[in-house]
Amino acid sequence: MTAHHPTRRGILKSVGGLGAALALGTAGQLASARPAAAADNDFGLTIVDRNESDPRMWYYRFQTSAIGWNPGVNVLLPDDYRTSGRTYPVLYLFHGGGTDQDFITFDRMGVRDWTAGKPIIVVMPDGGHAGWYSNPVSSNVGPRNWEEFHINQLLPWVEANFRTFADYDGRAVSGFSMGGFGALKYAAKYYGHFASVSAHSGPASLRRDGGLVAHWANASSAALDLAGGTIYGVPLWDQARVSADNPVERIESYRNKRVFLVAGTSPDPVDWFSSVNEPQVLAGQREFRSLLDRAGIPHDSHEVPGGHVIRPDLMRQDIDGIIDRLRKA
């Protein structure tokens, strides 16, 4: 996988076939103002590896019954976290799909520079090679319940162990590609959790073009993560689950949120991965945006040249917008 440019990631690039056709809230309650001290086990998470020596980037790996292996998470702290005593808003930032994508992805891409001097905590967890930020319908390799891990375990663990605002206006969710889908999904499905949602080249429509994205979620997860299991079920989908996860079917759930969308308009024809992914992403985001417009829900949308890549300039712009929307440190 190292032959590919590090930003050319996303919905998935390690499986052929179909890929060539596509691409807790406790409102009003604040987290306890813990000092900058070692984190504890809780909420079904047992820390099996950790490193809190870096001034900003703290690393943890957990044992959890939700996932059949030990997922990792990076927690990026503000420059003054150890000394300020302040409480901060938090951004949950999700990586894309593929065998080389994990909780370190955004550190490789430059997230420390994007957030230097900015008053926000950024939490970057594992999401599986093709976990799709979901609890799958079936798995042949043990539990891979990423939605359970992120929403019911990691989020309350972060709020118990770091000085974050544990309320709607204290949390944002964003992601790239598969992670952008995860952000859109979580923001709608768990409406009271996140006041800002962002999708950088993330698909927003599961059913368009014969359900291409839902089929791709099934095929990629079966090949890379679930040993033949699937996210939504085959040969028949769990239709209620698809609808619950599908951003274009949850439009009212984006009301009163900051919505930030990015899609590329001109993938390089030589780069087959961008060429098959980004047109589908762009079409789905346009469908999503038209429904938001019809419902009178504001959004900040960007169609920009290029393909299925992380765009640092728009990541920086997004982070600034998130900080502006959320509670101030």
Side-chain angles (χ1 to χ4, degrees):
M1 312 317 299
T2 55
H4 293 270
H5 188 281
T7 63
R8 298 188 186 281
R9 307 293 189 254
I11 297 175
L12 206 53
K13 69 178 184 220
S14 300
V15 183
L18 186 58
L22 171 80
L24 40 133
T26 52
Q29 180 180 347
L30 303 187
S32 58
R34 279 176 174 262
D40 298 325
N41 299 328
D42 209 347
F43 305 99
L45 300 178
T46 300
I47 300 169
V48 296
D49 194 18
R50 69 199 303 162
N51 189 332
E52 296 164 329
S53 64
D54 188 273
R56 294 188 62 204
M57 189 73 81
W58 290 10
Y59 150 76
Y60 304 90
R61 191 169 291 280
F62 301 107
Q63 183 179 55
T64 166
S65 62
I67 307 296
W69 51 276
N70 297 336
V73 60
N74 270 341
V75 180
L76 181 61
L77 302 172
D79 299 311
D80 62 351
Y81 183 84
R82 292 177 186 259
T83 58
S84 72
R86 292 195 292 173
T87 300
Y88 296 88
V90 59
L91 163 62
Y92 292 83
L93 184 57
F94 298 147
H95 65 77
T99 56
D100 55 355
Q101 294 291 283
D102 58 20
F103 73 99
I104 304 176
T105 293
F106 291 104
D107 197 18
R108 298 187 189 106
M109 293 302 304
V111 69
R112 298 187 201 213
D113 290 337
W114 305 342
T115 57
K118 297 179 180 179
I120 191 166
I121 293 171
V122 184
V123 177
M124 296 162 282
D126 268 328
H129 299 320
W132 287 89
Y133 298 88
S134 297
N135 300 335
V137 167
S138 61
S139 170
N140 296 319
V141 289
R144 295 292 187 272
N145 296 316
W146 293 106
E147 187 171 341
E148 169 72 15
F149 169 59
H150 294 140
I151 299 296
N152 295 327
Q153 296 183 326
L154 181 63
L155 190 151
W157 179 87
V158 166
E159 293 177 349
N161 286 283
F162 295 89
R163 299 193 309 273
T164 73
F165 292 115
D167 60 17
Y168 177 75
D169 289 313
R171 308 187 197 101
V173 62
S174 179
F176 170 65
S177 191
M178 181 184 78
F181 165 77
L184 290 171
K185 168 187 167 171
Y186 286 171
K189 200 169 182 180
Y190 303 94
Y191 175 84
H193 284 49
F194 305 103
S196 177
V197 56
S198 314
H200 295 257
S201 288
S205 179
L206 291 175
R207 297 185 187 275
R208 68 173 295 109
D209 297 329
L212 197 55
V213 174
H215 284 303
W216 181 235
N218 275 344
S220 59
S221 63
L224 289 188
D225 275 7
L226 303 175
T230 63
I231 300 297
Y232 293 116
V234 292
L236 300 177
W237 294 345
D238 181 329
Q239 296 290 352
R241 185 178 297 222
V242 173
S243 292
D245 288 2
N246 194 5
V248 298
E249 294 183 65
R250 302 294 304 268
I251 293 300
E252 281 301 315
S253 296
Y254 299 97
R255 194 173 295 280
N256 301 319
K257 296 184 185 293
R258 172 185 175 270
V259 180
F260 186 90
L261 303 168
V262 177
T265 59
S266 54
D268 183 346
V270 176
D271 173 23
W272 72 268
F273 181 66
S274 282
S275 296
V276 300
N277 278 275
E278 203 65 6
Q280 180 64 208
V281 167
L282 179 61
Q285 285 199 10
R286 285 176 172 172
E287 176 187 352
F288 182 56
R289 284 157 34 197
S290 70
L291 293 169
L292 292 174
D293 287 337
R294 191 178 308 166
I297 298 174
H299 52 88
D300 184 3
S301 303
H302 301 263
E303 293 188 5
V304 291
H308 202 66
V309 297
I310 293 173
R311 295 171 169 85
D313 59 327
L314 286 169
M315 282 287 183
R316 289 176 184 269
Q317 182 176 335
D318 185 20
I319 290 167
D320 287 341
I322 288 166
I323 293 170
D324 187 57
R325 170 61 182 86
L326 297 187
R327 296 172 66 114
K328 301 302 181 281

PDB file of all heavy atoms in Angstrom, residues 137-151:
ATOM      1  N   VAL A 137     -24.180  -6.401  10.834  1.00  0.00           N
ATOM      2  CA  VAL A 137     -25.231  -7.402  10.934  1.00  0.00           C
ATOM      3  C   VAL A 137     -24.645  -8.764  11.266  1.00  0.00           C
ATOM      4  O   VAL A 137     -25.216  -9.527  12.047  1.00  0.00           O
ATOM      5  CB  VAL A 137     -26.037  -7.462   9.617  1.00  0.00           C
ATOM      6  CG1 VAL A 137     -26.913  -8.702   9.565  1.00  0.00           C
ATOM      7  CG2 VAL A 137     -26.896  -6.211   9.471  1.00  0.00           C
ATOM      8  N   SER A 138     -23.467  -9.064  10.697  1.00  0.00           N
ATOM      9  CA  SER A 138     -22.849 -10.371  10.949  1.00  0.00           C
ATOM     10  C   SER A 138     -21.337 -10.246  10.895  1.00  0.00           C
ATOM     11  O   SER A 138     -20.785  -9.402  10.184  1.00  0.00           O
ATOM     12  CB  SER A 138     -23.322 -11.407   9.923  1.00  0.00           C
ATOM     13  OG  SER A 138     -22.959 -11.010   8.615  1.00  0.00           O
ATOM     14  N   SER A 139     -20.647 -11.087  11.672  1.00  0.00           N
ATOM     15  CA  SER A 139     -19.196 -11.143  11.693  1.00  0.00           C
ATOM     16  C   SER A 139     -18.761 -12.573  11.917  1.00  0.00           C
ATOM     17  O   SER A 139     -19.346 -13.279  12.744  1.00  0.00           O
ATOM     18  CB  SER A 139     -18.634 -10.256  12.803  1.00  0.00           C
ATOM     19  OG  SER A 139     -17.245 -10.480  12.976  1.00  0.00           O
ATOM     20  N   ASN A 140     -17.732 -12.991  11.191  1.00  0.00           N
ATOM     21  CA  ASN A 140     -17.169 -14.331  11.361  1.00  0.00           C
ATOM     22  C   ASN A 140     -15.827 -14.305  12.085  1.00  0.00           C
ATOM     23  O   ASN A 140     -15.105 -15.297  12.089  1.00  0.00           O
ATOM     24  CB  ASN A 140     -17.017 -15.013   9.994  1.00  0.00           C
ATOM     25  CG  ASN A 140     -18.358 -15.244   9.323  1.00  0.00           C
ATOM     26  OD1 ASN A 140     -19.321 -15.635   9.981  1.00  0.00           O
ATOM     27  ND2 ASN A 140     -18.432 -14.977   8.025  1.00  0.00           N
ATOM     28  N   VAL A 141     -15.522 -13.162  12.699  1.00  0.00           N
ATOM     29  CA  VAL A 141     -14.228 -13.016  13.384  1.00  0.00           C
ATOM     30  C   VAL A 141     -14.408 -12.450  14.791  1.00  0.00           C
ATOM     31  O   VAL A 141     -13.468 -11.903  15.367  1.00  0.00           O
ATOM     32  CB  VAL A 141     -13.273 -12.112  12.581  1.00  0.00           C
ATOM     33  CG1 VAL A 141     -12.806 -12.821  11.325  1.00  0.00           C
ATOM     34  CG2 VAL A 141     -13.926 -10.778  12.249  1.00  0.00           C
ATOM     35  N   GLY A 142     -15.597 -12.582  15.366  1.00  0.00           N
ATOM     36  CA  GLY A 142     -15.833 -12.005  16.679  1.00  0.00           C
ATOM     37  C   GLY A 142     -16.362 -10.592  16.565  1.00  0.00           C
ATOM     38  O   GLY A 142     -16.631 -10.085  15.473  1.00  0.00           O
ATOM     39  N   PRO A 143     -16.519  -9.907  17.689  1.00  0.00           N
ATOM     40  CA  PRO A 143     -17.160  -8.593  17.689  1.00  0.00           C
ATOM     41  C   PRO A 143     -16.344  -7.533  16.965  1.00  0.00           C
ATOM     42  O   PRO A 143     -15.131  -7.445  17.112  1.00  0.00           O
ATOM     43  CB  PRO A 143     -17.295  -8.256  19.175  1.00  0.00           C
ATOM     44  CG  PRO A 143     -16.248  -9.082  19.850  1.00  0.00           C
ATOM     45  CD  PRO A 143     -16.141 -10.340  19.053  1.00  0.00           C
ATOM     46  N   ARG A 144     -17.045  -6.738  16.159  1.00  0.00           N
ATOM     47  CA  ARG A 144     -16.461  -5.570  15.494  1.00  0.00           C
ATOM     48  C   ARG A 144     -17.474  -4.421  15.578  1.00  0.00           C
ATOM     49  O   ARG A 144     -17.861  -3.835  14.586  1.00  0.00           O
ATOM     50  CB  ARG A 144     -16.141  -5.880  14.022  1.00  0.00           C
ATOM     51  CG  ARG A 144     -15.080  -6.930  13.798  1.00  0.00           C
ATOM     52  CD  ARG A 144     -13.701  -6.447  14.235  1.00  0.00           C
ATOM     53  NE  ARG A 144     -12.655  -7.395  13.871  1.00  0.00           N
ATOM     54  CZ  ARG A 144     -12.265  -8.426  14.624  1.00  0.00           C
ATOM     55  NH1 ARG A 144     -12.871  -8.649  15.798  1.00  0.00           N
ATOM     56  NH2 ARG A 144     -11.309  -9.226  14.224  1.00  0.00           N
ATOM     57  N   ASN A 145     -17.888  -4.132  16.803  1.00  0.00           N
ATOM     58  CA  ASN A 145     -18.978  -3.173  17.012  1.00  0.00           C
ATOM     59  C   ASN A 145     -18.408  -1.773  17.226  1.00  0.00           C
ATOM     60  O   ASN A 145     -18.316  -1.273  18.349  1.00  0.00           O
ATOM     61  CB  ASN A 145     -19.827  -3.621  18.196  1.00  0.00           C
ATOM     62  CG  ASN A 145     -20.521  -4.951  17.937  1.00  0.00           C
ATOM     63  OD1 ASN A 145     -21.075  -5.173  16.861  1.00  0.00           O
ATOM     64  ND2 ASN A 145     -20.475  -5.841  18.906  1.00  0.00           N
ATOM     65  N   TRP A 146     -18.052  -1.128  16.111  1.00  0.00           N
ATOM     66  CA  TRP A 146     -17.403   0.169  16.177  1.00  0.00           C
ATOM     67  C   TRP A 146     -18.337   1.251  16.709  1.00  0.00           C
ATOM     68  O   TRP A 146     -17.905   2.156  17.444  1.00  0.00           O
ATOM     69  CB  TRP A 146     -16.856   0.547  14.807  1.00  0.00           C
ATOM     70  CG  TRP A 146     -15.728  -0.355  14.404  1.00  0.00           C
ATOM     71  CD1 TRP A 146     -15.760  -1.355  13.474  1.00  0.00           C
ATOM     72  CD2 TRP A 146     -14.411  -0.368  14.968  1.00  0.00           C
ATOM     73  NE1 TRP A 146     -14.534  -1.989  13.417  1.00  0.00           N
ATOM     74  CE2 TRP A 146     -13.693  -1.396  14.319  1.00  0.00           C
ATOM     75  CE3 TRP A 146     -13.765   0.384  15.952  1.00  0.00           C
ATOM     76  CZ2 TRP A 146     -12.359  -1.686  14.629  1.00  0.00           C
ATOM     77  CZ3 TRP A 146     -12.446   0.097  16.261  1.00  0.00           C
ATOM     78  CH2 TRP A 146     -11.757  -0.926  15.600  1.00  0.00           C
ATOM     79  N   GLU A 147     -19.590   1.193  16.359  1.00  0.00           N
ATOM     80  CA  GLU A 147     -20.540   2.178  16.857  1.00  0.00           C
ATOM     81  C   GLU A 147     -20.658   2.091  18.379  1.00  0.00           C
ATOM     82  O   GLU A 147     -20.656   3.108  19.080  1.00  0.00           O
ATOM     83  CB  GLU A 147     -21.892   1.951  16.185  1.00  0.00           C
ATOM     84  CG  GLU A 147     -22.922   3.009  16.474  1.00  0.00           C
ATOM     85  CD  GLU A 147     -24.162   2.828  15.602  1.00  0.00           C
ATOM     86  OE1 GLU A 147     -24.101   2.141  14.570  1.00  0.00           O
ATOM     87  OE2 GLU A 147     -25.205   3.397  15.976  1.00  0.00           O
ATOM     88  N   GLU A 148     -20.747   0.888  18.895  1.00  0.00           N
ATOM     89  CA  GLU A 148     -20.782   0.676  20.339  1.00  0.00           C
ATOM     90  C   GLU A 148     -19.524   1.223  21.001  1.00  0.00           C
ATOM     91  O   GLU A 148     -19.589   1.928  22.019  1.00  0.00           O
ATOM     92  CB  GLU A 148     -20.931  -0.819  20.630  1.00  0.00           C
ATOM     93  CG  GLU A 148     -20.730  -1.218  22.082  1.00  0.00           C
ATOM     94  CD  GLU A 148     -21.877  -0.801  22.990  1.00  0.00           C
ATOM     95  OE1 GLU A 148     -22.951  -0.454  22.471  1.00  0.00           O
ATOM     96  OE2 GLU A 148     -21.688  -0.832  24.218  1.00  0.00           O
ATOM     97  N   PHE A 149     -18.372   0.925  20.436  1.00  0.00           N
ATOM     98  CA  PHE A 149     -17.099   1.381  20.988  1.00  0.00           C
ATOM     99  C   PHE A 149     -17.023   2.906  21.017  1.00  0.00           C
ATOM    100  O   PHE A 149     -16.687   3.513  22.043  1.00  0.00           O
ATOM    101  CB  PHE A 149     -15.949   0.778  20.177  1.00  0.00           C
ATOM    102  CG  PHE A 149     -14.594   1.362  20.477  1.00  0.00           C
ATOM    103  CD1 PHE A 149     -14.056   1.307  21.749  1.00  0.00           C
ATOM    104  CD2 PHE A 149     -13.851   1.963  19.471  1.00  0.00           C
ATOM    105  CE1 PHE A 149     -12.792   1.834  22.027  1.00  0.00           C
ATOM    106  CE2 PHE A 149     -12.597   2.502  19.728  1.00  0.00           C
ATOM    107  CZ  PHE A 149     -12.073   2.436  21.019  1.00  0.00           C
ATOM    108  N   HIS A 150     -17.343   3.544  19.898  1.00  0.00           N
ATOM    109  CA  HIS A 150     -17.176   4.994  19.817  1.00  0.00           C
ATOM    110  C   HIS A 150     -18.190   5.751  20.669  1.00  0.00           C
ATOM    111  O   HIS A 150     -17.821   6.699  21.386  1.00  0.00           O
ATOM    112  CB  HIS A 150     -17.321   5.457  18.358  1.00  0.00           C
ATOM    113  CG  HIS A 150     -16.234   4.963  17.470  1.00  0.00           C
ATOM    114  ND1 HIS A 150     -16.469   4.522  16.186  1.00  0.00           N
ATOM    115  CD2 HIS A 150     -14.900   4.828  17.675  1.00  0.00           C
ATOM    116  CE1 HIS A 150     -15.325   4.135  15.642  1.00  0.00           C
ATOM    117  NE2 HIS A 150     -14.367   4.305  16.530  1.00  0.00           N
ATOM    118  N   ILE A 151     -19.460   5.375  20.581  1.00  0.00           N
ATOM    119  CA  ILE A 151     -20.519   6.167  21.206  1.00  0.00           C
ATOM    120  C   ILE A 151     -20.711   5.830  22.676  1.00  0.00           C
ATOM    121  O   ILE A 151     -20.832   6.726  23.522  1.00  0.00           O
ATOM    122  CB  ILE A 151     -21.849   5.986  20.446  1.00  0.00           C
ATOM    123  CG1 ILE A 151     -21.701   6.468  18.990  1.00  0.00           C
ATOM    124  CG2 ILE A 151     -22.978   6.711  21.162  1.00  0.00           C
ATOM    125  CD1 ILE A 151     -21.412   7.955  18.852  1.00  0.00           C
TER     126      ILE A 151
END
